[in-house]
Amino acid sequence: MSFEDNIAYITSRMTKVAKHWGMDKPDTNIIAVAKKQLPSKIKESLQCGHRLYGENRVQDAYKVWNEKDGFKRDFKDIELHLIGPLQSNKAKEAVALFDCIETLDREKLADALKAEIEKQRRQVKILVQVNTGEEDQKAGVLPNDLDKLLAHCRDIGLEVRGLMCIPPVEEPAGLHFSFLKELAERHNLQETSMGMSGDFEKAVPLNPTYLRIGTALFGERLN
Ligand SMILES: *Cc1c(COP(=O)(O)O)cnc(C)c1O
């Protein structure tokens, strides 16, 4: 299946689910998650007019997307999201490359991002990743610590626009998506990023800002 077919299919599912829930038209954007995919497939998607992408590792993403000899050289309107964990010492590279960082989850990283955004004078949108399932191995701020992290961001003048989550694999995703939406509303945050290839239909009724879809658009990842 081509990228064009796959995105048409996902869009039609989105529209159907939204309609079922009495929603007019979802204003949800599809992030094409490009990690570990062939450059030829990414190129095909760019040629279809897609411009919104996600990557989970700074180093890998740099090779593919940089403005010197990556896709950002030829396609100036690409919007690239970091959806994987970020170490504070990579904040510089991340701020230089990404247009949105979805995985802020601690104060030290907030400080590093704020400093780099000022230094580089770049517009970078920030979302906070919430570990809604409170899983030990998973990145994200614990729900109980969200207040404190958001207060810290306000104190240092780092604007947070929304929340992102990755539900535990063995739990119903919809519960986590509803919880994330509730947290966002409670904190007056406009945006949410939720839903992947296997569970995006559960996210659509909550009208998320972003779905993050990889394999359902590009096929299986390379190793
Ligand atoms: C890889 C990844 C995705 C996409 O996963 P698919 O199942 O291929 O759609 C979405 N979000 C995050 C954070 C990821 O790392």
Side-chain angles (χ1 to χ4, degrees):
M1 293 285 270
S2 69
F3 180 89
E4 200 164 15
D5 291 338
N6 291 339
I7 201 151
Y9 175 73
I10 289 167
T11 307
S12 76
R13 289 303 309 162
M14 260 172 60
T15 310
K16 237 191 200 125
V17 173
K19 207 164 176 188
H20 175 83
W21 287 87
M23 295 157 68
D24 214 14
K25 204 174 162 280
D27 12 75
T28 301
N29 303 287
I30 299 173
I31 298 175
V33 177
K35 68 184 186 205
K36 297 202 168 103
Q37 296 289 354
L38 283 174
S40 60
K41 285 193 179 174
I42 300 171
K43 187 140 196 205
E44 179 198 340
S45 70
L46 283 159
Q47 283 161 348
C48 290
H50 199 79
R51 291 295 182 269
L52 177 56
Y53 293 89
E55 287 277 0
N56 72 333
R57 296 177 60 127
V58 179
Q59 232 58 37
D60 295 349
Y62 183 81
K63 285 185 210 131
V64 177
W65 299 98
N66 79 75
E67 287 174 6
K68 271 207 313 279
D69 55 8
F71 288 125
K72 277 194 167 195
R73 185 188 61 190
D74 298 327
F75 298 90
K76 299 290 180 206
D77 51 348
I78 284 171
E79 182 180 326
L80 188 63
H81 287 222
L82 178 65
I83 60 173
L86 178 60
Q87 292 171 307
S88 301
N89 63 12
K90 297 253 177 68
K92 181 178 172 186
E93 286 88 341
V95 165
L97 180 66
F98 290 93
D99 305 287
C100 174
I101 292 170
E102 298 199 6
T103 51
L104 171 61
D105 62 359
R106 58 198 188 280
E107 294 184 8
K108 187 181 167 201
L109 180 57
D111 295 342
L113 290 173
K114 173 66 182 172
E116 279 304 327
I117 287 170
E118 284 207 335
K119 203 190 235 168
Q120 300 184 32
R121 298 170 187 277
R122 272 206 87 223
Q123 289 276 355
V124 181
K125 181 152 82 180
I126 304 291
L127 308 184
V128 166
Q129 180 178 359
V130 184
N131 185 354
T132 57
E134 308 194 15
E135 296 171 280
D136 288 338
Q137 79 287 4
K138 196 163 273 171
V141 65
L142 292 171
N144 280 335
D145 298 335
L146 178 61
D147 269 358
K148 190 163 172 277
L149 177 59
L150 291 174
H152 179 76
C153 293
R154 267 196 306 280
D155 287 347
I156 63 169
L158 180 69
E159 188 192 1
V160 173
R161 290 277 290 276
L163 301 178
M164 173 272 213
C165 77
I166 311 169
V169 279
E170 70 284 0
E171 288 180 29
L175 293 178
H176 291 270
F177 297 156
S178 309
F179 182 40
L180 191 76
K181 180 81 177 185
E182 190 187 307
L183 289 173
E185 284 173 352
R186 193 186 302 166
H187 291 283
N188 250 318
L189 297 168
Q190 302 299 316
E191 304 194 359
T192 52
S193 171
M194 53 167 116
M196 315 188 353
S197 294
D199 57 19
F200 74 89
E201 296 191 21
K202 298 285 192 308
V204 171
L206 297 156
N207 201 21
T209 318
Y210 301 109
L211 301 173
R212 307 180 307 269
I213 313 276
T215 48
L217 285 175
F218 294 115
E220 288 307 315
R221 283 183 276 275
L222 311 164
N223 279 309

